[in-house]
Amino acid sequence: MCGIVGYNGTKKAVDILLDGLSKLEYRGYDSAGIAIQDKEIEIFKAKGKLVNLKEKVENKNLLGTCGIGHTRWATHGEPNEINAHPHVSNDGNVTLVHNGIIENYQELTQKLERHNYKLYSETDTEVLTNIIDYYYKKYKLGPIDAINRTMVRVRGSYAIAVMFKEYPDEIWVARKDSPMIIGINEDGTYLASDVPAILKYTKNVYYIDNLEAACLKKDKVTFYDLNGDEIKKELKEIKWDIRAAEKEGYEHFMIKEINEQPDVVKKTINSLINENKIDLSKTGLTSEIINQFKEIYIVACGSAYHVGVCAKYVIEELARIPVVVDIASEFRYRKPILNKDGLVIIISQSGETADSLAALREAKEEGLKTLAIVNVVGSSIAREADYVLYTLAGPEIAVATTKAFSTQLVASYSIAIEFAKVKNTIDNETYVSLINELKVIPDKIDEILKNSTSNIQKIASKFSHIHDAFYIGRCLDYAISLEGSLKLKEISYIHSEAYAAGELKHGTISLIEDETLVIGIATQDDVFEKTISNLVEVKSRGAYVIAITPSDKDVSKVANDIITIPTTNKYFYPSLTVIPLQLISYYITIAKGLDVDKPRNLAKSVTVE
Ligand code: AGP
């Protein structure tokens, strides 16, 4: 899951490329490189974070106005300077950056070796570069022919930007499954893996589809299909604000995005309510269509999957429709038994997660309707789903999702309420009271951020030394504890497990000893007492208990630290409990002095399986 950028225009490319890469570093940050075309193509690469590359080129006085760049998340070949991109064909004819994975690169390597190509790196990308060169030389029909023949020949996912020695001042691009956006303004043409990299320069973009290619000249972009025929593309305007891709005085993107939640959750709720009724019309779903669905399958990865687990509890209880929640990488291979009258809901912040995209295609192949809940307009999952519900979190830069997660939660509540209304499983009074409570969730999130952040920081900073932690709860509290546990793991590197509180005594409680950190979530009335007794069980074995509970509940007997949250409707508590869970993870990670925005080994959008 790398980040690629490109610029061809009238300005110095090096500044625009490095700035763009800094906005894409959340996609991968183990090495980086750029290629600048002036009189000839010059390449600079560096291992580690982008700052190493910046130091390498800062005194080079690179004046070229055409170039491509890359920030890497290694898949083939360890993170080092040789394996870093851009890669060059044997005789320097082709220079290329790539995001994705070439699955049949070994077979192609043998083909190249049969034609006396020598490879200097361990990467699939260098193979791809030479395969383009091979077709370019064999058929002598220019860049588009070489690229199209390559697209037919390679298997895998890719977004590539290519410079040909014999075609100066041109950047050629192509994609299949990996994201790419192309921008244009009076200073030139731009390409990037994601919007934040070019938002500073233009909001006018083209969306290039799978198995399409394009040529970026200084003043125009020409698109081609796989036959090499020119195709027309509509220029679209991006609605996002550039400030969203900046830290705006916050120390980290994660804490900035945590504090943006009241605003973006309100925006998302308002986009789904009209005249105090849930309005899903923008998604394309109507009451007639909703009524056809007899079963729901929610499929996603990571935190998005955890939204699905929360949604299952709410949809089943409110709308009385069976909900199956699946991890996308399992769903796509486990041959699920799917009810043809089922709706498959794919949840994804980026809209580009490979396993979730494949699960979407799998569901469509099985003849089921698909609804995508995504945050990135124009992303692959959004473009391929039958119905799309856009969350309005804006660009999310920190690798660990927070604000997008919270917007996905309220989106799933809205679906549950509307399905319940259409299926007549709730009366109008309940319908109206749920909507009224939903509308005040942003204020309650804001209340927690304002009143509890410093207390949570104090509590969390006591645990920078721990190696293990447990999150427990029942029902919806168990569902959200999954997210709390992942948040801690992914940024603090502390091992933690989320457990259905009632399940502990069937084995895992043997791990509880003196000072073991147990974070207990207790919001659900009908299982509150049960959860308290589970907290008593761990406390009596020496655990240090942090309890997250509504202000109207008393957990003082079992908790060492208590984090109270405002009361709300039982279905909406995940939106409130997740805030302290995010802050606990953030402040423990800060206390450990770790890079909270770019945790090791992770990337924001997992575009390979
Ligand atoms: C969450 O903090 C992680 N970044 C990761 O688990 C993420 O939720 C997962 O990769 C799914 O990403 P998506 O929502 O973009 O599909």
PDB file of all heavy atoms in Angstrom, residues 300-306 346-354 356 373 381 396 398-402 404-405 408 483 486-487 490-491 602-606, ligand 1:
ATOM      1  N   ALA A 300     -16.363  -6.405   6.048  1.00  0.00           N
ATOM      2  CA  ALA A 300     -15.380  -5.320   6.141  1.00  0.00           C
ATOM      3  C   ALA A 300     -14.095  -5.843   6.766  1.00  0.00           C
ATOM      4  O   ALA A 300     -13.987  -7.031   7.072  1.00  0.00           O
ATOM      5  CB  ALA A 300     -15.945  -4.175   6.981  1.00  0.00           C
ATOM      6  N   CYS A 301     -13.137  -4.935   6.966  1.00  0.00           N
ATOM      7  CA  CYS A 301     -11.852  -5.277   7.567  1.00  0.00           C
ATOM      8  C   CYS A 301     -11.559  -4.348   8.744  1.00  0.00           C
ATOM      9  O   CYS A 301     -12.012  -3.215   8.763  1.00  0.00           O
ATOM     10  CB  CYS A 301     -10.726  -5.103   6.550  1.00  0.00           C
ATOM     11  SG  CYS A 301     -10.904  -6.083   5.066  1.00  0.00           S
ATOM     12  N   GLY A 302     -10.780  -4.855   9.689  1.00  0.00           N
ATOM     13  CA  GLY A 302     -10.275  -4.039  10.787  1.00  0.00           C
ATOM     14  C   GLY A 302     -11.359  -3.301  11.547  1.00  0.00           C
ATOM     15  O   GLY A 302     -12.390  -3.880  11.926  1.00  0.00           O
ATOM     16  N   SER A 303     -11.143  -2.004  11.717  1.00  0.00           N
ATOM     17  CA  SER A 303     -12.104  -1.196  12.481  1.00  0.00           C
ATOM     18  C   SER A 303     -13.455  -1.146  11.800  1.00  0.00           C
ATOM     19  O   SER A 303     -14.501  -1.127  12.454  1.00  0.00           O
ATOM     20  CB  SER A 303     -11.550   0.209  12.657  1.00  0.00           C
ATOM     21  OG  SER A 303     -10.423   0.192  13.486  1.00  0.00           O
ATOM     22  N   ALA A 304     -13.467  -1.147  10.490  1.00  0.00           N
ATOM     23  CA  ALA A 304     -14.741  -1.110   9.768  1.00  0.00           C
ATOM     24  C   ALA A 304     -15.553  -2.365  10.094  1.00  0.00           C
ATOM     25  O   ALA A 304     -16.781  -2.316  10.230  1.00  0.00           O
ATOM     26  CB  ALA A 304     -14.483  -1.003   8.272  1.00  0.00           C
ATOM     27  N   TYR A 305     -14.854  -3.485  10.264  1.00  0.00           N
ATOM     28  CA  TYR A 305     -15.531  -4.734  10.671  1.00  0.00           C
ATOM     29  C   TYR A 305     -16.161  -4.550  12.044  1.00  0.00           C
ATOM     30  O   TYR A 305     -17.269  -5.001  12.306  1.00  0.00           O
ATOM     31  CB  TYR A 305     -14.519  -5.893  10.678  1.00  0.00           C
ATOM     32  CG  TYR A 305     -15.000  -7.140  11.392  1.00  0.00           C
ATOM     33  CD1 TYR A 305     -15.912  -8.005  10.797  1.00  0.00           C
ATOM     34  CD2 TYR A 305     -14.544  -7.433  12.677  1.00  0.00           C
ATOM     35  CE1 TYR A 305     -16.364  -9.136  11.462  1.00  0.00           C
ATOM     36  CE2 TYR A 305     -14.985  -8.560  13.351  1.00  0.00           C
ATOM     37  CZ  TYR A 305     -15.904  -9.407  12.733  1.00  0.00           C
ATOM     38  OH  TYR A 305     -16.357 -10.518  13.410  1.00  0.00           O
ATOM     39  N   HIS A 306     -15.463  -3.841  12.931  1.00  0.00           N
ATOM     40  CA  HIS A 306     -16.008  -3.615  14.278  1.00  0.00           C
ATOM     41  C   HIS A 306     -17.275  -2.759  14.232  1.00  0.00           C
ATOM     42  O   HIS A 306     -18.194  -2.955  15.036  1.00  0.00           O
ATOM     43  CB  HIS A 306     -14.950  -2.965  15.174  1.00  0.00           C
ATOM     44  CG  HIS A 306     -13.754  -3.829  15.386  1.00  0.00           C
ATOM     45  ND1 HIS A 306     -12.485  -3.304  15.608  1.00  0.00           N
ATOM     46  CD2 HIS A 306     -13.599  -5.176  15.361  1.00  0.00           C
ATOM     47  CE1 HIS A 306     -11.624  -4.307  15.740  1.00  0.00           C
ATOM     48  NE2 HIS A 306     -12.275  -5.448  15.591  1.00  0.00           N
ATOM     49  N   ILE A 346     -20.959  -3.319   2.549  1.00  0.00           N
ATOM     50  CA  ILE A 346     -19.502  -3.250   2.637  1.00  0.00           C
ATOM     51  C   ILE A 346     -19.159  -1.922   3.321  1.00  0.00           C
ATOM     52  O   ILE A 346     -19.582  -0.865   2.860  1.00  0.00           O
ATOM     53  CB  ILE A 346     -18.858  -3.285   1.242  1.00  0.00           C
ATOM     54  CG1 ILE A 346     -19.302  -4.514   0.438  1.00  0.00           C
ATOM     55  CG2 ILE A 346     -17.337  -3.197   1.356  1.00  0.00           C
ATOM     56  CD1 ILE A 346     -18.722  -5.828   0.868  1.00  0.00           C
ATOM     57  N   ILE A 347     -18.428  -1.984   4.431  1.00  0.00           N
ATOM     58  CA  ILE A 347     -18.042  -0.766   5.140  1.00  0.00           C
ATOM     59  C   ILE A 347     -16.541  -0.542   4.925  1.00  0.00           C
ATOM     60  O   ILE A 347     -15.746  -1.460   5.112  1.00  0.00           O
ATOM     61  CB  ILE A 347     -18.339  -0.865   6.648  1.00  0.00           C
ATOM     62  CG1 ILE A 347     -19.803  -1.240   6.899  1.00  0.00           C
ATOM     63  CG2 ILE A 347     -17.990   0.439   7.355  1.00  0.00           C
ATOM     64  CD1 ILE A 347     -20.166  -1.430   8.370  1.00  0.00           C
ATOM     65  N   SER A 348     -16.170   0.671   4.491  1.00  0.00           N
ATOM     66  CA  SER A 348     -14.760   0.947   4.252  1.00  0.00           C
ATOM     67  C   SER A 348     -14.500   2.444   4.274  1.00  0.00           C
ATOM     68  O   SER A 348     -15.151   3.192   3.560  1.00  0.00           O
ATOM     69  CB  SER A 348     -14.321   0.388   2.894  1.00  0.00           C
ATOM     70  OG  SER A 348     -12.985   0.751   2.619  1.00  0.00           O
ATOM     71  N   GLN A 349     -13.512   2.873   5.065  1.00  0.00           N
ATOM     72  CA  GLN A 349     -13.160   4.305   5.077  1.00  0.00           C
ATOM     73  C   GLN A 349     -12.587   4.681   3.707  1.00  0.00           C
ATOM     74  O   GLN A 349     -13.085   5.535   2.997  1.00  0.00           O
ATOM     75  CB  GLN A 349     -12.133   4.566   6.193  1.00  0.00           C
ATOM     76  CG  GLN A 349     -11.777   6.020   6.442  1.00  0.00           C
ATOM     77  CD  GLN A 349     -10.842   6.657   5.356  1.00  0.00           C
ATOM     78  OE1 GLN A 349     -11.192   7.662   4.826  1.00  0.00           O
ATOM     79  NE2 GLN A 349      -9.752   5.999   5.055  1.00  0.00           N
ATOM     80  N   SER A 350     -11.563   3.949   3.307  1.00  0.00           N
ATOM     81  CA  SER A 350     -10.832   4.316   2.081  1.00  0.00           C
ATOM     82  C   SER A 350     -11.610   3.972   0.815  1.00  0.00           C
ATOM     83  O   SER A 350     -11.415   4.590  -0.222  1.00  0.00           O
ATOM     84  CB  SER A 350      -9.505   3.555   2.057  1.00  0.00           C
ATOM     85  OG  SER A 350      -9.776   2.154   2.018  1.00  0.00           O
ATOM     86  N   GLY A 351     -12.445   2.920   0.912  1.00  0.00           N
ATOM     87  CA  GLY A 351     -13.143   2.479  -0.295  1.00  0.00           C
ATOM     88  C   GLY A 351     -12.215   1.745  -1.251  1.00  0.00           C
ATOM     89  O   GLY A 351     -12.582   1.471  -2.391  1.00  0.00           O
ATOM     90  N   GLU A 352     -11.007   1.428  -0.782  1.00  0.00           N
ATOM     91  CA  GLU A 352     -10.018   0.779  -1.649  1.00  0.00           C
ATOM     92  C   GLU A 352      -9.450  -0.500  -1.063  1.00  0.00           C
ATOM     93  O   GLU A 352      -8.603  -1.145  -1.655  1.00  0.00           O
ATOM     94  CB  GLU A 352      -8.864   1.741  -1.926  1.00  0.00           C
ATOM     95  CG  GLU A 352      -9.254   3.045  -2.615  1.00  0.00           C
ATOM     96  CD  GLU A 352      -9.704   2.881  -4.056  1.00  0.00           C
ATOM     97  OE1 GLU A 352      -9.588   1.751  -4.574  1.00  0.00           O
ATOM     98  OE2 GLU A 352     -10.223   3.854  -4.620  1.00  0.00           O
ATOM     99  N   THR A 353      -9.884  -0.884   0.130  1.00  0.00           N
ATOM    100  CA  THR A 353      -9.336  -2.078   0.786  1.00  0.00           C
ATOM    101  C   THR A 353      -9.578  -3.302  -0.084  1.00  0.00           C
ATOM    102  O   THR A 353     -10.728  -3.636  -0.386  1.00  0.00           O
ATOM    103  CB  THR A 353      -9.968  -2.238   2.176  1.00  0.00           C
ATOM    104  OG1 THR A 353      -9.658  -1.060   2.931  1.00  0.00           O
ATOM    105  CG2 THR A 353      -9.454  -3.467   2.889  1.00  0.00           C
ATOM    106  N   ALA A 354      -8.509  -3.976  -0.458  1.00  0.00           N
ATOM    107  CA  ALA A 354      -8.587  -5.032  -1.473  1.00  0.00           C
ATOM    108  C   ALA A 354      -9.568  -6.136  -1.092  1.00  0.00           C
ATOM    109  O   ALA A 354     -10.415  -6.532  -1.898  1.00  0.00           O
ATOM    110  CB  ALA A 354      -7.201  -5.622  -1.699  1.00  0.00           C
ATOM    111  N   SER A 356     -12.105  -6.058   0.934  1.00  0.00           N
ATOM    112  CA  SER A 356     -13.498  -5.578   0.957  1.00  0.00           C
ATOM    113  C   SER A 356     -14.014  -5.387  -0.472  1.00  0.00           C
ATOM    114  O   SER A 356     -15.166  -5.711  -0.783  1.00  0.00           O
ATOM    115  CB  SER A 356     -13.573  -4.268   1.735  1.00  0.00           C
ATOM    116  OG  SER A 356     -13.055  -4.457   3.049  1.00  0.00           O
ATOM    117  N   ILE A 373     -20.791   1.628   2.483  1.00  0.00           N
ATOM    118  CA  ILE A 373     -20.695   2.764   3.403  1.00  0.00           C
ATOM    119  C   ILE A 373     -19.231   3.182   3.348  1.00  0.00           C
ATOM    120  O   ILE A 373     -18.363   2.492   3.858  1.00  0.00           O
ATOM    121  CB  ILE A 373     -21.097   2.368   4.839  1.00  0.00           C
ATOM    122  CG1 ILE A 373     -22.534   1.870   4.897  1.00  0.00           C
ATOM    123  CG2 ILE A 373     -20.908   3.562   5.785  1.00  0.00           C
ATOM    124  CD1 ILE A 373     -22.984   1.430   6.287  1.00  0.00           C
ATOM    125  N   ILE A 381     -14.749   0.949  -4.288  1.00  0.00           N
ATOM    126  CA  ILE A 381     -15.917   0.305  -3.677  1.00  0.00           C
ATOM    127  C   ILE A 381     -17.163   1.153  -3.918  1.00  0.00           C
ATOM    128  O   ILE A 381     -18.231   0.635  -4.256  1.00  0.00           O
ATOM    129  CB  ILE A 381     -15.666   0.051  -2.172  1.00  0.00           C
ATOM    130  CG1 ILE A 381     -14.621  -1.050  -1.994  1.00  0.00           C
ATOM    131  CG2 ILE A 381     -16.959  -0.300  -1.437  1.00  0.00           C
ATOM    132  CD1 ILE A 381     -14.176  -1.293  -0.569  1.00  0.00           C
ATOM    133  N   GLU A 396      -9.073  11.359   6.164  1.00  0.00           N
ATOM    134  CA  GLU A 396      -8.575  10.848   7.443  1.00  0.00           C
ATOM    135  C   GLU A 396      -7.127  10.446   7.205  1.00  0.00           C
ATOM    136  O   GLU A 396      -6.848   9.539   6.439  1.00  0.00           O
ATOM    137  CB  GLU A 396      -9.406   9.660   7.938  1.00  0.00           C
ATOM    138  CG  GLU A 396      -9.080   9.230   9.355  1.00  0.00           C
ATOM    139  CD  GLU A 396     -10.010   8.145   9.866  1.00  0.00           C
ATOM    140  OE1 GLU A 396     -10.009   7.040   9.272  1.00  0.00           O
ATOM    141  OE2 GLU A 396     -10.749   8.400  10.839  1.00  0.00           O
ATOM    142  N   ALA A 398      -4.459  10.055   9.817  1.00  0.00           N
ATOM    143  CA  ALA A 398      -3.849   9.144  10.788  1.00  0.00           C
ATOM    144  C   ALA A 398      -4.192   7.709  10.399  1.00  0.00           C
ATOM    145  O   ALA A 398      -5.322   7.420   9.994  1.00  0.00           O
ATOM    146  CB  ALA A 398      -4.360   9.437  12.199  1.00  0.00           C
ATOM    147  N   VAL A 399      -3.230   6.807  10.486  1.00  0.00           N
ATOM    148  CA  VAL A 399      -3.469   5.419  10.076  1.00  0.00           C
ATOM    149  C   VAL A 399      -4.576   4.790  10.920  1.00  0.00           C
ATOM    150  O   VAL A 399      -5.440   4.087  10.426  1.00  0.00           O
ATOM    151  CB  VAL A 399      -2.171   4.596  10.170  1.00  0.00           C
ATOM    152  CG1 VAL A 399      -2.448   3.114  10.033  1.00  0.00           C
ATOM    153  CG2 VAL A 399      -1.174   5.053   9.114  1.00  0.00           C
ATOM    154  N   ALA A 400      -4.553   5.078  12.216  1.00  0.00           N
ATOM    155  CA  ALA A 400      -5.598   4.539  13.103  1.00  0.00           C
ATOM    156  C   ALA A 400      -6.873   5.347  12.913  1.00  0.00           C
ATOM    157  O   ALA A 400      -6.903   6.551  13.165  1.00  0.00           O
ATOM    158  CB  ALA A 400      -5.137   4.595  14.551  1.00  0.00           C
ATOM    159  N   THR A 401      -7.918   4.687  12.456  1.00  0.00           N
ATOM    160  CA  THR A 401      -9.156   5.419  12.183  1.00  0.00           C
ATOM    161  C   THR A 401      -9.855   5.813  13.489  1.00  0.00           C
ATOM    162  O   THR A 401      -9.856   5.067  14.455  1.00  0.00           O
ATOM    163  CB  THR A 401     -10.125   4.586  11.330  1.00  0.00           C
ATOM    164  OG1 THR A 401     -11.259   5.397  11.006  1.00  0.00           O
ATOM    165  CG2 THR A 401     -10.579   3.338  12.050  1.00  0.00           C
ATOM    166  N   THR A 402     -10.431   7.010  13.496  1.00  0.00           N
ATOM    167  CA  THR A 402     -11.228   7.493  14.630  1.00  0.00           C
ATOM    168  C   THR A 402     -12.501   8.146  14.113  1.00  0.00           C
ATOM    169  O   THR A 402     -13.581   7.594  14.243  1.00  0.00           O
ATOM    170  CB  THR A 402     -10.412   8.510  15.470  1.00  0.00           C
ATOM    171  OG1 THR A 402      -9.934   9.534  14.589  1.00  0.00           O
ATOM    172  CG2 THR A 402      -9.271   7.850  16.198  1.00  0.00           C
ATOM    173  N   ALA A 404     -13.661   8.580  11.036  1.00  0.00           N
ATOM    174  CA  ALA A 404     -14.395   7.804  10.024  1.00  0.00           C
ATOM    175  C   ALA A 404     -15.191   6.699  10.703  1.00  0.00           C
ATOM    176  O   ALA A 404     -16.346   6.444  10.362  1.00  0.00           O
ATOM    177  CB  ALA A 404     -13.424   7.218   9.004  1.00  0.00           C
ATOM    178  N   PHE A 405     -14.578   6.084  11.717  1.00  0.00           N
ATOM    179  CA  PHE A 405     -15.255   5.022  12.481  1.00  0.00           C
ATOM    180  C   PHE A 405     -16.553   5.563  13.077  1.00  0.00           C
ATOM    181  O   PHE A 405     -17.614   4.957  12.952  1.00  0.00           O
ATOM    182  CB  PHE A 405     -14.333   4.518  13.604  1.00  0.00           C
ATOM    183  CG  PHE A 405     -14.913   3.399  14.441  1.00  0.00           C
ATOM    184  CD1 PHE A 405     -14.715   2.084  14.090  1.00  0.00           C
ATOM    185  CD2 PHE A 405     -15.644   3.678  15.582  1.00  0.00           C
ATOM    186  CE1 PHE A 405     -15.256   1.048  14.851  1.00  0.00           C
ATOM    187  CE2 PHE A 405     -16.194   2.658  16.352  1.00  0.00           C
ATOM    188  CZ  PHE A 405     -15.995   1.337  15.981  1.00  0.00           C
ATOM    189  N   GLN A 408     -19.201   6.080  10.518  1.00  0.00           N
ATOM    190  CA  GLN A 408     -19.765   4.808  10.058  1.00  0.00           C
ATOM    191  C   GLN A 408     -20.769   4.269  11.081  1.00  0.00           C
ATOM    192  O   GLN A 408     -21.787   3.678  10.724  1.00  0.00           O
ATOM    193  CB  GLN A 408     -18.645   3.785   9.842  1.00  0.00           C
ATOM    194  CG  GLN A 408     -17.741   4.073   8.661  1.00  0.00           C
ATOM    195  CD  GLN A 408     -16.396   3.357   8.751  1.00  0.00           C
ATOM    196  OE1 GLN A 408     -16.101   2.654   9.730  1.00  0.00           O
ATOM    197  NE2 GLN A 408     -15.540   3.557   7.749  1.00  0.00           N
ATOM    198  N   GLU A 483     -13.046  -2.661  19.176  1.00  0.00           N
ATOM    199  CA  GLU A 483     -12.387  -1.495  18.574  1.00  0.00           C
ATOM    200  C   GLU A 483     -11.389  -0.881  19.559  1.00  0.00           C
ATOM    201  O   GLU A 483     -10.284  -0.489  19.188  1.00  0.00           O
ATOM    202  CB  GLU A 483     -13.419  -0.450  18.139  1.00  0.00           C
ATOM    203  CG  GLU A 483     -12.842   0.819  17.548  1.00  0.00           C
ATOM    204  CD  GLU A 483     -11.968   0.607  16.315  1.00  0.00           C
ATOM    205  OE1 GLU A 483     -11.932  -0.530  15.796  1.00  0.00           O
ATOM    206  OE2 GLU A 483     -11.285   1.565  15.911  1.00  0.00           O
ATOM    207  N   LEU A 486      -8.259  -2.987  19.429  1.00  0.00           N
ATOM    208  CA  LEU A 486      -7.472  -2.796  18.201  1.00  0.00           C
ATOM    209  C   LEU A 486      -6.749  -1.456  18.224  1.00  0.00           C
ATOM    210  O   LEU A 486      -5.576  -1.347  17.882  1.00  0.00           O
ATOM    211  CB  LEU A 486      -8.368  -2.878  16.963  1.00  0.00           C
ATOM    212  CG  LEU A 486      -7.663  -2.588  15.632  1.00  0.00           C
ATOM    213  CD1 LEU A 486      -6.574  -3.615  15.339  1.00  0.00           C
ATOM    214  CD2 LEU A 486      -8.661  -2.517  14.476  1.00  0.00           C
ATOM    215  N   LYS A 487      -7.441  -0.421  18.697  1.00  0.00           N
ATOM    216  CA  LYS A 487      -6.863   0.925  18.728  1.00  0.00           C
ATOM    217  C   LYS A 487      -5.571   0.906  19.566  1.00  0.00           C
ATOM    218  O   LYS A 487      -4.557   1.456  19.188  1.00  0.00           O
ATOM    219  CB  LYS A 487      -7.899   1.877  19.340  1.00  0.00           C
ATOM    220  CG  LYS A 487      -8.359   3.116  18.675  1.00  0.00           C
ATOM    221  CD  LYS A 487      -8.181   3.541  17.310  1.00  0.00           C
ATOM    222  CE  LYS A 487      -8.214   2.552  16.257  1.00  0.00           C
ATOM    223  NZ  LYS A 487      -8.892   2.458  15.079  1.00  0.00           N
ATOM    224  N   GLU A 490      -2.749  -1.299  17.690  1.00  0.00           N
ATOM    225  CA  GLU A 490      -2.160  -0.830  16.427  1.00  0.00           C
ATOM    226  C   GLU A 490      -1.256   0.378  16.593  1.00  0.00           C
ATOM    227  O   GLU A 490      -0.355   0.588  15.781  1.00  0.00           O
ATOM    228  CB  GLU A 490      -3.257  -0.576  15.393  1.00  0.00           C
ATOM    229  CG  GLU A 490      -4.169   0.575  15.657  1.00  0.00           C
ATOM    230  CD  GLU A 490      -5.184   0.744  14.518  1.00  0.00           C
ATOM    231  OE1 GLU A 490      -4.781   0.583  13.350  1.00  0.00           O
ATOM    232  OE2 GLU A 490      -6.351   1.011  14.807  1.00  0.00           O
ATOM    233  N   ILE A 491      -1.444   1.174  17.656  1.00  0.00           N
ATOM    234  CA  ILE A 491      -0.589   2.362  17.774  1.00  0.00           C
ATOM    235  C   ILE A 491       0.410   2.266  18.930  1.00  0.00           C
ATOM    236  O   ILE A 491       1.468   2.894  18.891  1.00  0.00           O
ATOM    237  CB  ILE A 491      -1.431   3.655  17.895  1.00  0.00           C
ATOM    238  CG1 ILE A 491      -2.356   3.632  19.103  1.00  0.00           C
ATOM    239  CG2 ILE A 491      -2.158   3.936  16.603  1.00  0.00           C
ATOM    240  CD1 ILE A 491      -3.127   4.949  19.291  1.00  0.00           C
ATOM    241  N   LEU A 602       2.189  -0.632   9.516  1.00  0.00           N
ATOM    242  CA  LEU A 602       0.809  -0.418   9.073  1.00  0.00           C
ATOM    243  C   LEU A 602       0.740   0.559   7.907  1.00  0.00           C
ATOM    244  O   LEU A 602       1.713   1.264   7.615  1.00  0.00           O
ATOM    245  CB  LEU A 602      -0.030   0.126  10.235  1.00  0.00           C
ATOM    246  CG  LEU A 602      -0.351  -0.840  11.356  1.00  0.00           C
ATOM    247  CD1 LEU A 602      -1.272  -0.164  12.373  1.00  0.00           C
ATOM    248  CD2 LEU A 602      -0.998  -2.108  10.822  1.00  0.00           C
ATOM    249  N   ALA A 603      -0.425   0.583   7.281  1.00  0.00           N
ATOM    250  CA  ALA A 603      -0.685   1.569   6.232  1.00  0.00           C
ATOM    251  C   ALA A 603      -2.168   1.901   6.289  1.00  0.00           C
ATOM    252  O   ALA A 603      -2.966   1.109   6.762  1.00  0.00           O
ATOM    253  CB  ALA A 603      -0.320   1.010   4.871  1.00  0.00           C
ATOM    254  N   LYS A 604      -2.514   3.097   5.814  1.00  0.00           N
ATOM    255  CA  LYS A 604      -3.896   3.567   5.956  1.00  0.00           C
ATOM    256  C   LYS A 604      -4.884   2.768   5.122  1.00  0.00           C
ATOM    257  O   LYS A 604      -5.998   2.470   5.542  1.00  0.00           O
ATOM    258  CB  LYS A 604      -3.967   5.045   5.571  1.00  0.00           C
ATOM    259  CG  LYS A 604      -5.335   5.672   5.705  1.00  0.00           C
ATOM    260  CD  LYS A 604      -5.745   5.757   7.146  1.00  0.00           C
ATOM    261  CE  LYS A 604      -7.115   6.332   7.403  1.00  0.00           C
ATOM    262  NZ  LYS A 604      -7.552   6.173   8.769  1.00  0.00           N
ATOM    263  N   SER A 605      -4.469   2.411   3.928  1.00  0.00           N
ATOM    264  CA  SER A 605      -5.418   1.705   3.060  1.00  0.00           C
ATOM    265  C   SER A 605      -4.735   0.449   2.538  1.00  0.00           C
ATOM    266  O   SER A 605      -3.701   0.514   1.887  1.00  0.00           O
ATOM    267  CB  SER A 605      -5.797   2.640   1.924  1.00  0.00           C
ATOM    268  OG  SER A 605      -6.535   1.937   0.964  1.00  0.00           O
ATOM    269  N   VAL A 606      -5.292  -0.701   2.860  1.00  0.00           N
ATOM    270  CA  VAL A 606      -4.659  -1.993   2.544  1.00  0.00           C
ATOM    271  C   VAL A 606      -5.163  -2.446   1.173  1.00  0.00           C
ATOM    272  O   VAL A 606      -6.178  -3.124   1.060  1.00  0.00           O
ATOM    273  CB  VAL A 606      -4.987  -3.014   3.652  1.00  0.00           C
ATOM    274  CG1 VAL A 606      -4.260  -4.316   3.402  1.00  0.00           C
ATOM    275  CG2 VAL A 606      -4.629  -2.449   5.020  1.00  0.00           C
TER     276      VAL A 606
HETATM  277  C1  AGP B   1      -7.939   0.927  11.666  1.00  0.00           C
HETATM  278  O1  AGP B   1      -7.462   1.906  12.498  1.00  0.00           O
HETATM  279  C2  AGP B   1      -7.017   0.453  10.702  1.00  0.00           C
HETATM  280  N1  AGP B   1      -6.475   1.482   9.966  1.00  0.00           N
HETATM  281  C3  AGP B   1      -7.544  -0.669   9.845  1.00  0.00           C
HETATM  282  O2  AGP B   1      -7.968  -1.708  10.677  1.00  0.00           O
HETATM  283  C4  AGP B   1      -8.722  -0.296   8.920  1.00  0.00           C
HETATM  284  O3  AGP B   1      -9.891  -0.146   9.660  1.00  0.00           O
HETATM  285  C5  AGP B   1      -8.901  -1.419   7.902  1.00  0.00           C
HETATM  286  O4  AGP B   1      -7.703  -1.545   7.183  1.00  0.00           O
HETATM  287  C6  AGP B   1     -10.067  -1.142   6.961  1.00  0.00           C
HETATM  288  O5  AGP B   1      -9.790  -0.007   6.208  1.00  0.00           O
HETATM  289  P1  AGP B   1     -10.984   0.657   5.362  1.00  0.00           P
HETATM  290  O6  AGP B   1     -12.015   1.139   6.333  1.00  0.00           O
HETATM  291  O7  AGP B   1     -10.314   1.770   4.612  1.00  0.00           O
HETATM  292  O8  AGP B   1     -11.525  -0.398   4.441  1.00  0.00           O
END
